[in-house]
Amino acid sequence: MAEHGIGARVPRVEDQRFITGKGRYTDDINQAGQTYAVFVRSPHAHARIRGVDKSSVASMPGVLAVLDGDDVKADGLGNLICGWLVKSKDGSPMKMGPHPLLAQGKVRYVGDRVAVVVAETYAQAKDAAEALVVDYEELPAVVDLAGAHGAAALVHDEVADNLIFDWELGDKAAVDAAFAAAHHVTRMELVNNRLIPNAMEPRAAIGVYDSGTDAFTCYLTSQNPHVHRLVMAAFIGVAPEHKLRVVGPDVGGGFGSKIFIYGEECVVCWASRKIGGRPVKWTAERSESFLSDAHGRDHISTAELALDKDGNFLAMRVNTKANLGAYMSTFSSCVPTYLYATLLAGQYRTPAIYCDVQAYYTNTAPVDAYRGAGRPEASFLIETLVDQAAMELGIDPADIRRRNFIPRDAFPYQTPVALIYDTGDYQATLEEALKLADYAGFPARRAEAQRRGKLRGIGLSCYIEACGIAPSAVVGSLGAGVGLWESAKVRFSHTGKVQVLTGTHSHGQGHETTFAQLIADKLGVPFGDIEVIHGDTEKTPVGMGTYGSRSLAVGGEAIMKACDKIIAKGKKIAAHLLEAAEGDIEFKDGKFTVAGTDKSKALGEVVFAAYVPHNYPPDLEPGMEEGAFFDPPNFTFPAGTYVCEVEVEPATGEVDIVRFTAVDDFGNVINPMIVEGQVHGGLVQGIGQALLEGARYDDSGQLLTGSYMDYCMPRADNVPSFAVVTSAGTACTSNSMGVKGCGEAGAIGAPGAVINAITNAIGRRVEMPATPEKVWRAIHSNVAVAAE
Amino acid sequence: MPSVSMTVNGKQVGGEVESRTLLVEFLRNQLGLTGTHVGCDTSQCGCCVVHVDGRSVKACTMLAVQAAGSQVTTIEGLARNGQLHPVQAAFREHHGLQCGFCTPGMIMSAVDLLQHNANPTEAEVREWLEGNLCRCTGYHNIVKAIMAAAADMSGHAKAAE
């Protein structure tokens, strides 16, 4: 393996700036004449706006503008959109209320944007925002998912019963028939707890209007600058697309929450024009992030598994109610549907599956994709259900999984819920994980723990996910409003240096390193001569951005295709220079060689000839710059087995994760160091969901978990170090690199493993987050707490 | 408005501040030292950790005027003569960062830990980091990096003996 090639643990190129304080995040950008925006947010979950008294602050020091929903309307700006149309069982399109940039007539959740104040300094803007008098008439709120249907309160008057859609997938008749004939049915109710993403960098946006060119620049915490530009131009009407530049500079984590087009970025651009072109900067306080970043998960489900007498799965039936909050966020509709129910086969050959999903509006923050997005909900449901079935039938949890795995020779495998898995070897990842976790030695460890007064448990989770999002025609047929291909451009300079421009966006994933490794490996260019550029609509080709573990599997493949074009053009030039037939030229290790001879030209010489074409093929364009787009033929299907071992202190209910083993099949791996890091981070988000995190609103719709004092983020001393293996790969067939994607796996697979371990330790399942209180009650009470 | 002066990264600096101006605001907005980040508003996340008179301090929890006359070191001042501090080098070597936003605070906090405890156990490192949140790394490689830096620094100290 070359030092910087595929498979090498190359330290990250981007780290130098981050470890020396030279990263450049949105809030680090300051410009001459800059002003500051502070948003006035609703203190009520549901209220009519009787009036906004702008005169109450217009004359306060430094105030430049106070704008509200009436101004948005007067200027003809459009509403925020949901870009994926889901249809109900009866074929009708999902029902939506409008989602304005600033509230018009009504506020619908605590944190809803009511007005914006722009002032000379941040402190002045904040003082004025606090002083702004808004007259509200409070309305009854619907806060609870369970109570959304038939609630007296309607979040949007036009959406009856608060029901956005009632969707289904699968063969209901076949599933019902299988259940009727089953030897055993396992049934459970379960909650997938609501989470708040909490990227460490709060959202921020700077809008700059240049009257000279009648054009806007928006610096923004974005995972997908071109998607932002598209929506802000085509739907909001901030500016025509060619007059709007969106820059996502260094971005401090996203986890989905920075995919979405929010009102704030649109408003700062619009406000910059209103005040004559001075830059307008907004940076969220953490409290605002808690209130207004799109939240994740929030499902209530009933799940049933039908089994024969040997523990073979016959059918699965699931009903899920999904809380989508007060407005439909950018991709909210696809999360509890096409990113969820399509994964319910898991790693198993369950022949018949049916799922229906009712999605509801509530007076809470919008809910959308958060790391894993639908797939953690599916994986958690399957893996806890399978464990319960194993418990009820007296089968070892590893054995029931082995019995039901899709066999390694059955790929490609058509599941009953639409997807075709290309490759996998679930038996192999399970066995390797069991070995590494010393599953066989667990009874001895449990006995030893018991002597110390601890309850020790072990839990498995065999997850699968669909990544590499996504084949455009497939998602288009399912309601997506966009294509989900990716783009790249590979640009050489005279001196052989390479710029790689990608449509993806790195906000922690290390693309500047991984993509450079791809190029170094493919073209034989020195690693240090390669620069990866992303995140600026003025520099990069149009791209769809980073989410759904897609950057390498889709964006990386676009780079590969651009490199193929570089090589193809290089062969023409080399053939000319070497006076050989193009068909006789081979490219390897950075050299073009006439096959079977020692006659060759280095890539650098060929590139130089392309830019100084004095001796050059007569009908060939000069230059060496090639672009490519890649639309994947299928999703990718990373899968693996996680084994969690816990010790529970019965006196306090505290859960200590004493051992955690992750064996993942990500296909081929470009940089194992980076991939392992992605797994570590995902695992802790999954463990956070299982043990610590949960967004809670009170009955009036106030967010109780609105700060780090109240929302329990995983800290270093809450989690262990991990045993992670990523070398157990079956190559993916949907891209030439054989890669599957690794960004979401940890968050998808971990919750099931942790909860199964606790169930194994204490003998009953508790809902997430399994706080000490819930665990203690489960140990010490005879009252069922599973559905609390 | 009060005026304030202090030494930041070895340089004497000063300026007029509002009495409510936080140290982190002074560093970021008036001195342009944007390596010190703000990740919360309740002194929980630790993205803003700097050293004041040699001790790690959350710069969001201290007024600029309180730091008057102090020696302040930020992430920008940690490397000396182009040489990374061993903790900085270890974070890169062991992939102790992903998005980089918590990193300056993590590094400044870790440097202070190693001043107090040259050879911490893993549990001591994890406990020390209680006031520093990271959402990307799962802490695994941060802990690994700090342990490696400790070994590296004590090795150097031993070699110098």
Side-chain angles (χ1 to χ4, degrees):
Chain A
M1 182 198 309
E3 189 188 356
H4 294 108
I6 287 176
R9 306 176 77 88
V10 181
R12 299 198 321 170
V13 176
E14 42 272 86
D15 287 358
Q16 178 67 23
R17 66 179 186 273
F18 295 136
I19 58 178
T20 56
K22 298 294 181 191
R24 191 164 182 261
Y25 302 88
T26 300
D27 190 59
D28 299 340
I29 297 167
N30 293 299
Q31 297 170 88
Q34 180 170 287
T35 67
Y36 296 82
V38 169
F39 285 85
V40 177
R41 295 180 184 275
S42 170
H44 303 296
H46 197 193
R48 207 174 307 286
I49 301 173
R50 286 207 193 101
V52 178
D53 182 8
K54 294 185 197 170
S55 68
S56 60
V57 300
S59 59
M60 284 179 69
V63 172
L64 298 165
V66 184
L67 303 166
D68 66 7
D70 290 344
D71 300 299
V72 169
K73 212 175 203 172
D75 283 8
L77 292 171
N79 290 322
L80 295 164
I81 62 157
C82 176
W84 197 304
L85 177 71
V86 166
K87 288 182 179 167
S88 286
K89 291 170 184 169
D90 64 4
S92 64
M94 61 189 190
K95 297 180 176 61
M96 286 195 294
H99 188 181
L101 301 184
L102 297 171
Q104 292 170 3
K106 260 171 73 167
V107 287
R108 294 184 171 85
Y109 68 99
V110 173
D112 204 353
R113 294 172 301 274
V114 175
V116 65
V117 176
V118 182
E120 295 285 350
T121 71
Y122 172 68
Q124 287 168 335
K126 188 151 183 173
D127 286 344
E130 277 177 10
L132 185 73
V133 174
V134 181
D135 186 13
Y136 296 101
E137 176 194 342
E138 273 190 79
L139 299 169
V142 50
V143 174
D144 188 25
L145 178 58
H149 197 100
L154 289 181
V155 179
H156 295 271
D157 293 339
E158 53 271 65
V159 182
D161 289 324
N162 296 308
L163 181 63
I164 301 162
F165 56 76
D166 178 7
W167 173 90
E168 67 181 344
L169 182 69
D171 186 340
K172 188 170 190 303
V175 168
D176 289 347
F179 269 88
H183 166 78
H184 181 83
V185 172
T186 290
R187 185 177 190 280
M188 70 190 339
E189 311 268 328
L190 72 173
V191 173
N192 203 283
N193 45 328
R194 185 180 180 116
L195 303 176
I196 303 180
N198 275 303
M200 291 316 300
E201 180 203 23
R203 285 193 293 123
I206 307 171
V208 191
Y209 174 67
D210 179 348
S211 61
T213 56
D214 193 28
F216 292 82
T217 302
C218 183
Y219 300 91
L220 178 63
T221 50
S222 172
Q223 298 179 216
N224 32 232
H226 278 102
V227 177
H228 265 98
R229 188 182 72 168
L230 171 65
V231 174
M232 289 166 74
F235 295 92
I236 311 299
V238 169
E241 221 178 338
H242 64 298
K243 293 288 188 183
L244 174 60
R245 174 188 179 194
V246 178
V247 184
D250 286 329
V251 172
F255 315 112
S257 68
K258 294 170 181 170
I259 298 170
F260 320 123
I261 291 77
Y262 294 88
E264 288 87 353
E265 47 263 37
C266 307
V267 166
V268 292
C269 290
W270 169 59
S272 173
R273 184 183 211 159
K274 299 285 270 189
I275 64 166
R278 292 175 65 183
V280 178
K281 180 195 257 190
W282 166 75
T283 303
E285 295 190 330
R286 180 57 58 182
S287 317
E288 280 184 284
S289 304
F290 273 104
L291 290 174
S292 70
D293 288 4
H295 294 182
R297 319 282 193 256
D298 207 348
H299 288 188
I300 298 174
S301 296
T302 303
E304 296 168 286
L305 186 63
L307 301 101
D308 71 12
K309 61 179 173 29
D310 300 319
N312 292 306
F313 305 162
L314 303 175
M316 189 174 177
R317 191 161 55 195
V318 177
N319 171 258
T320 292
K321 296 186 178 8
N323 185 350
L324 295 184
Y327 298 102
M328 292 293 279
S329 177
T330 315
F331 289 109
S332 56
S333 52
C334 71
V335 175
T337 52
Y338 294 107
L339 292 178
Y340 167 67
T342 52
L343 274 303
L344 286 173
Q347 300 187 354
Y348 311 110
R349 49 178 172 69
T350 315
I353 298 172
Y354 174 77
C355 177
D356 68 339
V357 179
Q358 291 83 42
Y360 289 100
Y361 276 124
T362 62
N363 291 114
T364 62
V367 176
D368 206 324
Y370 166 63
R371 200 172 194 167
R375 291 150 291 168
E377 295 91 316
S379 178
F380 177 70
L381 181 144
I382 299 162
E383 290 303 294
T384 48
L385 187 64
V386 164
D387 250 39
Q388 183 158 320
M391 201 154 66
E392 288 171 2
L393 293 176
I395 303 174
D396 181 89
D399 280 342
I400 200 169
R401 287 174 168 85
R402 285 188 191 104
R403 272 178 223 190
N404 286 283
F405 277 151
I406 297 162
R408 60 171 66 92
D409 58 3
F411 293 92
Y413 180 83
Q414 171 72 61
T415 75
V417 273
L419 297 176
I420 301 173
Y421 299 165
D422 62 339
T423 56
D425 188 343
Y426 310 137
Q427 184 94 31
T429 43
L430 174 73
E431 299 307 336
E432 183 159 359
L434 294 180
K435 197 171 144 202
L436 204 58
D438 188 22
Y439 191 70
F442 173 73
R445 295 194 294 280
R446 169 177 266 177
E448 186 278 327
Q450 201 164 18
R451 288 195 288 277
R452 288 183 282 112
K454 306 275 188 181
L455 303 172
R456 192 156 174 135
I458 195 162
L460 303 180
S461 169
C462 297
Y463 77 91
I464 192 162
E465 48 173 334
C467 293
I469 290 172
S472 296
V474 173
V475 296
S477 72
L478 302 178
V482 289
L484 290 171
W485 43 265
E486 200 42 81
S487 67
K489 194 169 268 189
V490 175
R491 176 188 292 156
F492 277 83
S493 67
H494 279 72
T495 55
K497 310 298 182 200
V498 187
Q499 288 184 319
V500 185
L501 301 107
T502 170
T504 67
H505 184 279
S506 188
H507 32 280
Q509 295 87 344
H511 295 172
E512 291 167 42
T513 306
T514 301
F515 290 173
Q517 284 180 256
L518 286 182
I519 299 272
D521 196 90
K522 177 99 174 173
L523 297 181
V525 177
F527 183 77
D529 288 354
I530 304 161
E531 186 188 17
V532 176
I533 297 168
H534 59 91
D536 184 341
T537 59
E538 201 160 89
K539 292 180 182 169
T540 67
V542 177
M544 298 309 292
T546 287
Y547 39 80
S549 305
R550 72 190 301 272
S551 296
L552 183 59
V554 190
E557 186 65 2
I559 294 173
M560 291 286 98
K561 296 221 168 296
C563 288
D564 287 338
K565 293 184 185 175
I566 294 277
I567 293 167
K569 184 169 184 179
K571 281 184 177 173
K572 290 185 202 294
I573 299 167
H576 179 86
L577 296 175
L578 293 165
E579 298 176 337
E582 188 188 328
D584 291 338
I585 304 290
E586 292 172 346
F587 180 73
K588 203 184 164 202
D589 297 334
K591 271 197 314 202
F592 295 93
T593 305
V594 181
T597 75
D598 59 357
K599 286 168 59 178
S600 70
K601 287 281 174 192
L603 175 60
E605 295 175 272
V606 168
V607 167
F608 189 78
Y611 283 111
V612 186
H614 296 166
N615 175 19
Y616 200 68
D619 49 0
L620 192 65
E621 285 179 24
M624 193 59 95
E625 172 174 327
E626 296 290 345
F629 288 77
F630 176 64
D631 201 343
N634 192 358
F635 296 88
T636 68
F637 299 96
T641 292
Y642 292 167
V643 186
C644 177
E645 205 163 320
V646 298
E647 279 190 5
V648 179
E649 169 52 61
T652 61
E654 276 178 295
V655 175
D656 186 18
I657 296 177
V658 291
R659 190 165 178 165
F660 201 108
T661 306
V663 177
D664 295 288
D665 176 356
F666 295 135
N668 296 330
V669 168
I670 308 300
N671 185 325
M673 180 193 79
I674 288 177
V675 169
E676 288 160 17
Q678 289 290 311
V679 175
H680 298 152
L683 289 177
V684 169
Q685 284 180 347
I687 291 169
Q689 169 163 32
L691 293 182
L692 305 167
E693 299 180 42
R696 293 292 294 271
Y697 286 88
D698 73 6
D699 291 344
S700 69
Q702 294 294 331
L703 182 65
L704 298 175
T705 50
S707 81
Y708 288 143
M709 319 270 275
D710 314 291
Y711 185 89
C712 191
M713 290 276 282
R715 288 163 201 265
D717 57 356
N718 296 130
V719 291
S721 288
F722 303 101
V724 173
V725 173
T726 60
S727 57
T730 56
C732 178
T733 60
S734 296
N735 57 74
S736 67
M737 302 163 290
V739 301
K740 297 186 179 180
C742 64
E744 296 163 290
I748 292 169
V754 175
I755 293 300
N756 286 340
I758 296 171
T759 309
N760 182 250
I762 68 172
R764 67 201 319 185
R765 187 175 62 86
V766 297
E767 292 291 1
M768 301 189 292
T771 58
E773 182 191 345
K774 281 189 205 161
V775 173
W776 187 90
R777 285 180 188 278
I779 296 168
H780 294 279
S781 162
N782 290 321
V783 179
V785 294
E788 110 186 356
Chain B
M1 283 203 293
S3 65
V4 66
S5 71
M6 64 187 84
T7 307
V8 177
N9 299 332
K11 281 188 204 139
Q12 190 67 30
V13 298
E16 304 258 299
V17 297
E18 286 190 71
S19 49
R20 63 179 169 179
T21 300
L22 300 169
L23 177 59
V24 69
E25 294 170 329
F26 180 68
L27 294 171
R28 286 181 58 80
N29 302 338
Q30 278 174 259
L31 303 185
L33 294 171
T34 56
T36 302
H37 299 148
V38 179
C40 76
D41 39 26
T42 52
S43 296
Q44 300 282 304
C45 78
C47 294
C48 66
V49 170
V50 299
H51 292 182
V52 177
D53 297 325
R55 290 177 53 235
S56 57
V57 165
K58 287 179 175 170
C60 73
T61 311
M62 190 173 195
L63 297 168
V65 291
Q66 288 177 295
S70 292
Q71 298 275 343
V72 177
T73 306
T74 70
I75 188 70
E76 289 93 341
L78 195 59
R80 293 283 159 82
N81 306 319
Q83 277 289 107
L84 293 177
H85 187 282
V87 173
Q88 288 173 304
F91 267 64
R92 179 168 62 190
E93 181 67 23
H94 297 282
H95 192 30
L97 62 150
Q98 291 182 23
C99 80
F101 196 79
C102 77
T103 309
M106 282 285 178
I107 289 176
M108 297 308 285
S109 187
V111 169
D112 192 22
L113 166 66
L114 299 185
Q115 286 170 4
H116 286 90
N117 181 353
N119 288 296
T121 63
E122 180 179 334
E124 287 170 337
V125 172
R126 288 184 179 275
E127 192 178 340
W128 177 269
L129 294 179
E130 191 195 43
N132 291 82
L133 294 175
C134 170
R135 196 56 153 169
C136 294
T137 66
Y139 303 103
H140 181 109
N141 283 338
I142 290 176
V143 173
K144 194 170 159 189
I146 295 171
M147 303 286 286
D152 183 36
M153 289 164 74
S154 60
H156 280 220
K158 282 203 186 98
E161 275 168 14

